Amino acid sequence: MNRIATILGCSLAIAFLIGLATTLTRSMMIGFFDVLPVYILMALAIWMMLYEAFFDKK
């Protein structure tokens, strides 16, 4: 049950972060290179969340 809750929580958080990052690219005034730092920070946040949830077993 704990594993299912972790997977569900991580997938919802990842969907939210990806949706948040992709809404910036909908505007015609904002280019890809303007949003690139946001994509990098979102990928880093997703990786840290997954690492702590599944791989960090101290």
Side-chain angles (χ1 to χ4, degrees), residues 24-31 34:
L24 292 173
T25 59
R26 301 283 183 205
S27 174
M28 299 304 271
M29 310 271 290
I30 301 173
D34 296 329

Side-chain angles (χ1 to χ4, degrees), residues 17 35-48:
L17 289 174
V35 186
L36 189 62
V38 175
Y39 284 141
I40 292 170
L41 287 175
M42 291 296 172
L44 185 63
I46 289 170
W47 170 249
M48 289 187 329

Side-chain angles (χ1 to χ4, degrees), residues 2-52:
N2 192 18
R3 188 79 159 172
I4 294 171
T6 303
I7 291 171
L8 182 64
C10 285
S11 63
L12 288 174
I14 288 171
F16 174 75
L17 289 174
I18 290 174
L20 191 66
T22 55
T23 54
L24 292 173
T25 59
R26 301 283 183 205
S27 174
M28 299 304 271
M29 310 271 290
I30 301 173
F32 175 74
F33 292 109
D34 296 329
V35 186
L36 189 62
V38 175
Y39 284 141
I40 292 170
L41 287 175
M42 291 296 172
L44 185 63
I46 289 170
W47 170 249
M48 289 187 329
M49 179 180 57
L50 290 175
Y51 179 76
E52 184 172 344

